[in-house]
Amino acid sequence: MQTWSLVSICVLLGVVVRWGVSLNSYSGSGKPPMFGDYEAQRHWQEVTYNLPLQEWYVNTTENDLNYWGLDYPPLTAYHSLICAYVAKSINSEWVELHKSRGYESPTHKLFMRATVLVADLIVFIPAVVVYCFCLTDGSSKKKVSTVFCFLLYPGLILIDYGHFQYNGVSLGLTLWGVLALGLGWDALGSVAFCLALNYKQMELYHALPFFCYLLGKSVKLGLMGRGLILLVRIASTVLVTFALCWLPFLSGPGHAMQVVRRIFPVARGLFEDKVANTWCSLNILIKIRSILSSDSQLYLSLVCTLLAVLPSCIRLLTKPSFWQFKLALVNSSLAFFLFSYQVHEKSILLAALPVCLLLNDLPLMAVWFLQASTFSMLPLFLKDGLLVPYVVTSLAFLFFSIYLLSALETCSEDELRLGAYHKLLFCLPKLDLARIVRWKFYISVAVMAAVSVATVALVPPPHLPDLFPVLVSSTAFVHFLGTFIYFNIVQFSEPSSRKSQKKTN
């Protein structure tokens, strides 16, 4: 009884933090003509409520796709429609066709913030609680601490409640999929992940680990027996789930293809702002945009992404354990973020989710990465007027996660899975790698703090207007590349001795 009381307090605190962030400004507030992501979400409600379904993704006189046209899969559109019906019942001006563009009022802001919170309470927060209590080791106190730190992750809170999006829905559905696979409910896990993929196409970052884990498990069970039955059941589940999500758009091949073209806009190019990935960082030294054509950039990105994700997926395919699955989720999402096409800075949330799953297993490395991922979005937060929430939530997360999870105490070489590094560094004298990691963590936090202060307090020279955004993205890129290498080495090293990490369903 006491444990669940603590869980309730953690959830309540998570809700309070989210609502506190939501009281600040949001993306594009008072900035016509496009405003920002807040207006995009409101506009989708306007479009889905007033126009027939066949016109949602089509450029018409009533639906100007250049003004925040729908570019997410059908489930996002259905969600917008549900919100629109509620909005219409409160105030019809909120979703009035054309006339509601750029609508801003305190009441509407309260409504929009409430839709994000309700979505989190229905999808994301329950998934976090169930995962931490069903699939993590340790005492009840440690599980409660993991729940609290998971819910306190600043990156997701600042993007969904400050910048304004519904990432908690797709990430929550993915987490339900992970949870179901961890409990051996493979068909239900497939349904949950298909729903996530049909809510946001960026969930493709997680698709290969789901596929390789289920295929590897089927092969392990035997493709002439139980494995074949499992494979057929999962394939049928995936096809039925996709068919139900896309059914209204299957009236003709042209209609479905228009939706596909909207959700995969390859014409936008390789770059998206100053993102902490390989291409933006490399472009500082080598002007890829000038050297390579758009098609060449696309092919280069595709090849590099596949090469980066392949080792992890092959390892998972041959050793389909739940521990390997969690590590593959991290490695796959980081490979896509670092090397894939048209990456936005918010896409780092897709790597942050699987890292959150490791808060109980590798607390220091998880906290370190999650802090760096929040830091990487600093230019976006400053643009949205979220400096104070960024500072408060980042400091709170860093303090509570290190204190509650004993992140700096449980960091011996064995606990950090650093054994493989000695084999790689055999030519050097034996080093105290755990101590080196701790000092690197201290230095890293200090550097991120210093860059954050400099970005806010200093004015860049006129000939280098993007100095601080580039400095932020380059610093974060070094962190992400190091994390990607680390987790790949961990995945290929000896499996953990912990019960939950040995679990093979």
Side-chain angles (χ1 to χ4, degrees):
M1 191 68 179
Q2 184 182 6
T3 299
W4 290 110
S5 298
L6 290 173
V7 171
S8 301
I9 293 172
C10 289
V11 171
L12 181 61
L13 288 172
V15 169
V16 169
V17 171
R18 282 163 165 76
W19 196 252
V21 170
S22 73
L23 298 177
N24 291 269
S25 64
Y26 47 82
S27 171
S29 177
K31 297 177 182 178
M34 294 300 290
F35 300 93
D37 276 27
Y38 177 94
E39 167 62 10
Q41 303 294 337
R42 189 216 58 77
H43 179 64
W44 293 347
Q45 295 174 21
E46 170 196 342
V47 168
T48 53
Y49 183 84
N50 291 286
L51 300 181
L53 181 143
Q54 289 73 20
E55 294 183 19
W56 289 357
Y57 293 89
V58 180
N59 195 49
T60 65
T61 54
E62 300 293 343
N63 184 24
D64 180 8
L65 293 183
N66 290 322
Y67 184 81
W68 297 119
L70 259 170
D71 54 4
Y72 284 120
L75 230 56
T76 290
Y78 303 150
H79 181 204
S80 296
L81 181 61
I82 293 171
C83 293
Y85 273 104
V86 179
K88 176 74 173 179
S89 67
I90 300 172
N91 187 338
S92 61
E93 292 182 358
W94 294 352
V95 290
E96 192 173 356
L97 190 62
H98 301 316
K99 294 182 180 179
S100 61
R101 281 194 179 186
Y103 189 96
E104 293 178 342
S105 74
T107 309
H108 185 252
K109 179 181 176 181
L110 183 66
F111 165 74
M112 293 292 280
R113 299 305 196 195
T115 61
V116 182
L117 184 58
V118 169
D120 269 6
L121 288 170
I122 293 173
V123 182
F124 184 74
I125 293 176
V128 171
V129 174
V130 177
Y131 171 83
C132 291
F133 272 85
C134 292
L135 293 177
T136 60
D137 284 337
S139 63
S140 296
K141 181 181 177 182
K142 188 175 182 181
K143 292 180 179 182
V144 171
S145 299
T146 306
V147 169
F148 182 61
C149 295
F150 203 137
L151 294 178
L152 200 59
Y153 168 53
L156 181 59
I157 295 174
L158 292 167
I159 289 297
D160 276 14
Y161 291 85
H163 183 74
F164 199 87
Q165 287 191 340
Y166 295 93
N167 292 290
V169 177
S170 57
L171 296 178
L173 289 169
T174 300
L175 184 51
W176 279 113
V178 172
L179 177 64
L181 295 192
L183 296 174
W185 303 337
D186 299 323
L188 286 176
S190 301
V191 169
F193 182 67
C194 286
L195 292 176
L197 196 53
N198 279 286
Y199 191 88
K200 284 202 172 183
Q201 65 271 34
M202 285 82 74
E203 285 299 330
L204 283 169
Y205 282 35
H206 301 137
L208 282 174
F210 271 87
F211 173 79
C212 292
Y213 175 72
L214 291 170
L215 179 60
K217 184 176 178 180
S218 300
V219 171
K220 192 174 182 179
L221 290 172
L223 289 180
M224 299 304 292
R226 287 191 302 157
L228 180 61
I229 296 172
L230 175 63
L231 200 58
V232 170
R233 186 166 71 244
I234 291 170
S236 303
T237 300
V238 170
L239 289 173
V240 169
T241 305
F242 265 83
L244 290 174
C245 290
W246 284 75
L247 188 61
F249 298 94
L250 298 179
S251 56
H255 193 193
M257 283 306 300
Q258 173 61 18
V259 179
V260 173
R261 281 191 291 269
R262 285 296 301 166
I263 64 180
F264 294 109
V266 294
R268 289 184 184 178
L270 182 65
F271 298 89
E272 178 77 25
D273 294 330
K274 305 295 185 294
V275 183
N277 70 350
T278 302
W279 309 121
C280 288
S281 301
L282 189 61
N283 196 64
I284 299 171
L285 303 174
I286 304 172
K287 302 303 178 183
I288 301 172
R289 200 194 303 259
S290 304
I291 297 173
L292 300 177
S293 65
S294 296
D295 288 342
S296 299
Q297 292 174 26
L298 176 61
Y299 296 138
L300 175 64
S301 169
L302 177 63
V303 170
C304 289
T305 304
L306 290 176
L307 289 176
V309 79
L310 199 58
S312 175
C313 288
I314 292 175
R315 176 72 170 181
L316 177 61
L317 193 62
T318 56
K319 294 183 179 293
S321 69
F322 190 61
W323 172 244
Q324 288 285 330
F325 175 55
K326 291 195 292 184
L327 291 171
L329 284 171
V330 176
N331 290 326
S332 173
S333 52
L334 273 173
F336 272 87
F337 181 85
L338 289 170
F339 299 104
S340 67
Y341 199 79
Q342 248 295 304
V343 174
H344 196 280
E345 61 260 58
K346 298 188 289 287
S347 300
I348 196 60
L349 297 178
L350 294 157
L353 176 71
V355 172
C356 284
L357 303 181
L358 299 171
L359 276 168
N360 192 62
D361 304 299
L362 296 165
L364 179 61
M365 304 308 294
V367 169
W368 192 353
F369 172 82
L370 294 173
Q371 198 69 31
S373 68
T374 304
F375 164 77
S376 72
M377 297 181 280
L378 176 60
L380 183 63
F381 298 145
L382 294 179
K383 190 185 299 182
D384 294 338
L386 296 171
L387 174 61
V388 174
Y390 164 75
V391 173
V392 172
T393 55
S394 295
L395 290 176
F397 175 76
L398 189 62
F399 171 77
F400 283 112
S401 56
I402 288 176
Y403 174 71
L404 294 175
L405 301 176
S406 304
L408 291 173
E409 298 169 16
T410 56
C411 57
S412 65
E413 287 191 10
D414 288 339
E415 288 165 324
L416 292 173
R417 319 281 188 264
L418 297 175
Y421 280 83
H422 284 299
K423 298 177 183 178
L424 294 173
L425 303 173
F426 64 93
C427 57
L428 298 176
K430 188 172 176 61
L431 303 171
D432 186 351
L433 295 179
R435 186 175 182 180
I436 293 173
V437 168
R438 280 196 298 272
W439 274 105
K440 286 175 67 177
F441 172 74
Y442 297 141
I443 295 170
S444 166
V445 171
V447 168
M448 288 189 284
V451 173
S452 297
V453 171
T455 302
V456 174
L458 302 180
V459 178
H463 64 288
L464 295 172
D466 294 326
L467 173 63
F468 293 118
V470 169
L471 195 57
V472 169
S473 65
S474 301
T475 304
F477 167 71
V478 172
H479 284 81
F480 298 157
L481 185 62
T483 304
F484 176 66
I485 294 170
Y486 167 77
F487 278 113
N488 268 279
I489 291 174
V490 170
Q491 189 176 354
F492 278 86
S493 61
E494 289 299 312
S496 168
S497 60
R498 298 181 183 183
K499 181 180 176 181
S500 67
Q501 295 165 359
K502 279 185 174 180
K503 188 168 182 178
T504 59
N505 305 326

